[in-house]
Amino acid sequence: METALTPPLPGGTWKLGDSTVTRFGYGAMQLAGPWVMGPPADHDGALAVLREAVDLGITHIDTSDAYGPRVTNELIREALHPYPDSLFIATKVGATRDAQGGWPTARRPEDLRRQVHENLDSLGVEALDLVNMRMGDAQGPRPSSIAEAFETLAALQQDGLIRHLGVSNVTAEQVAEARGIAPVVCVQNMYNLAHRQDDDLVDHLAADGIAYVPFFPLGGFTPLQSEALSQVANRLEATPMSVALAWLMRRSPNILLIPGTSSTAHLRENIAGAGLSLSDEDVAELDGVGRA
């Protein structure tokens, strides 16, 4: 009996350091319970989503030991360990969780070393593929020096505990400061059709072969912007989420997508959406959403 071939994922691949990953990835945050705290309502369903992602060819999974906390990392380990050689797991440090579900910062050298070891333990690996240093706060990036924190991670990289380094929720100045300390393979910031503040940074990173990983692909839209996006989506007989993902995929070859979901059906919908074909006219109209 012949097995049906899985179609290629939209967008092809990108090099993260010495690893090649699919530009369409998967973000594991939604696998935790409400407000990213506690276990999922459907434990087996969460495992199924992770296994489906790998079966569909996704090789880039984004997580953090702060999700749950520990929940998403332990689900990834239960579902996928021992990991395929092709699988690249990115995590992040710089925040912890409190009893109220808050995200207090934790960026002192001892905090970061502890978080790295917690990620190693919960994922069951001897070295982390990628650690993003998260800065700023829930409202976005904040001007400050990244040096002490990034130097701590660079030392752990030299010790062989981290393979690649990235930065998250950062200003362009913090990216430059980090790159002066150690190689940066990716930047993970909020960016979408409505929030184009990193346009110049996206292009600058692309020229230097550095990935840009946007989060909140539908975050922060005004009603007017949402209406404009919905009009394009209706014309294309697609969902707004599909159009937003397709626009990001088209925006620049260094953009890597990590949409999250706790449903295998929704995972497949996101993949199909990211592969939506947009005409030049569609793109021009969508580019106007950020200026609406």
Side-chain angles (χ1 to χ4, degrees), residues 160-177:
L161 300 180
I162 301 171
R163 292 178 56 217
H164 303 98
L165 297 174
V167 290
S168 176
N169 207 33
V170 288
T171 66
E173 291 74 22
Q174 288 166 333
V175 175
E177 186 180 18

Side-chain angles (χ1 to χ4, degrees), residues 44-129:
D44 290 344
L47 299 180
V49 171
L50 289 163
R51 290 168 179 151
E52 179 82 347
V54 171
D55 288 345
L56 291 171
I58 290 172
T59 61
H60 175 207
I61 292 179
D62 181 83
T63 185
S64 172
D65 203 57
Y67 297 163
R70 293 183 69 92
V71 168
T72 61
N73 279 8
E74 291 177 349
L75 288 168
I76 290 169
R77 182 175 183 173
E78 182 178 353
L80 303 174
H81 195 278
Y83 304 115
D85 291 341
S86 60
L87 187 62
F88 188 99
I89 301 175
T91 188
K92 61 188 69 63
V93 295
T96 185
R97 305 303 299 278
D98 59 29
Q100 292 72 41
W103 301 79
T105 59
R107 299 180 188 139
R108 296 174 303 174
E110 57 267 33
D111 295 329
L112 298 174
R113 286 191 288 267
R114 184 191 72 252
Q115 290 169 69
V116 165
H117 281 281
E118 287 172 347
N119 275 280
L120 288 165
D121 180 62
S122 57
L123 286 169
V125 294
E126 295 182 355
L128 299 167
D129 291 329

Side-chain angles (χ1 to χ4, degrees), residues 10-11 24 241-242 245-247 249 257 269-277:
F24 189 95
M241 180 67 170
S242 294
L245 292 176
W247 179 86
M249 192 65 82
L257 302 185
E269 289 173 8
N270 285 340
I271 293 172
L276 185 68
S277 179

